[in-house]
Amino acid sequence: MDGFQRRREQKKQAILLAALTLFMKNGIQKVSIAEIAKEAGVSQVTIYNYFESKHQLTYDVFVYYIETASSQFEELVHSDLPFPDKIRMIMFSKKEVAQQIHEEFYQYLMKQYSTEGNVFENLYEEKVVPYFSQLIQEGKDQGYVDESLSEDSIRFYLEMLRTYMENEENYTKALPLTEDINKIFFYGIMKGKQE
């Protein structure tokens, strides 16, 4: 990548990050292109040079958000942290996001997530499932995950959650329950499992 292409990509990333930051805080409708331009340190014209409309920018922010989260998950799985710390970080980040995300932006993300053939489906199959399987195997190897649980049963459980979250009525209710849902997944419902 030459210097011009590198600068162009950096501007595009700055716009996506600025839009994501503002959408997370204020939702989509209340954020103007002018505000995004100011946050990114570019002109409005520059934004339209990269994205034909606010609608396209919003969709590209969704893709950026999903790819960034996937990269962070991959880094965590491959890190040298002990298994319990990895689980705590996954739970903490989900709780933090659930507390910070604007309801309107969350609704948009979930609508995109539940659309047939969305970018998340491919990423889920290609990266999330294999990394999660690797993480679970690491937990088994270190004695933290019940060795008698098959990978198929864990994947079945994940698929149930994913399918359940494709329904608007369900994902609307799920946001305030994010921390509890993660605790149930990782620790079950029995008291004392978390120690």
Side-chain angles (χ1 to χ4, degrees), residues 44-109:
Q44 292 181 55
V45 172
T46 300
I47 291 178
Y48 286 113
N49 285 337
Y50 289 91
F51 309 95
E52 64 186 42
S53 64
K54 184 178 177 185
H55 177 75
Q56 182 63 49
L57 172 60
T58 304
Y59 178 77
D60 287 350
V61 166
F62 163 72
V63 172
Y64 173 76
Y65 177 78
I66 296 299
E67 289 175 347
T68 301
S70 174
S71 294
Q72 290 169 346
F73 182 61
E74 180 182 358
E75 286 175 23
L76 180 63
V77 169
H78 290 118
S79 74
D80 292 332
L81 290 171
F83 181 79
D85 291 345
K86 290 179 182 182
I87 298 305
R88 280 188 206 96
M89 288 185 73
I90 289 169
M91 290 177 61
F92 178 74
S93 74
K94 292 205 181 300
K95 177 183 176 184
E96 188 177 75
V97 168
Q99 291 173 339
Q100 294 175 352
I101 194 168
H102 190 278
E103 175 101 15
E104 181 194 8
F105 186 57
Y106 172 74
Q107 296 290 340
Y108 177 84
L109 290 174

Side-chain angles (χ1 to χ4, degrees), residues 7-23 31-48 50-51 57 61 64:
R7 284 189 303 279
R8 188 168 164 73
E9 187 58 32
Q10 287 170 341
K11 273 188 189 177
K12 183 176 181 180
Q13 294 299 310
I15 294 166
L16 289 168
L17 180 58
L20 175 60
T21 301
L22 292 170
F23 291 165
V31 175
S32 68
I33 293 294
E35 290 171 304
I36 295 169
K38 183 178 178 184
E39 180 81 15
V42 299
S43 71
Q44 292 181 55
V45 172
T46 300
I47 291 178
Y48 286 113
Y50 289 91
F51 309 95
L57 172 60
V61 166
Y64 173 76

Side-chain angles (χ1 to χ4, degrees), residues 10 66 71 86 89 104 123 133 137 150 154 170 172 187:
Q10 287 170 341
I66 296 299
S71 294
K86 290 179 182 182
M89 288 185 73
E104 181 194 8
L123 203 60
S133 294
Q137 188 57 52
S150 69
I154 294 169
N170 297 334
T172 302
Y187 302 118

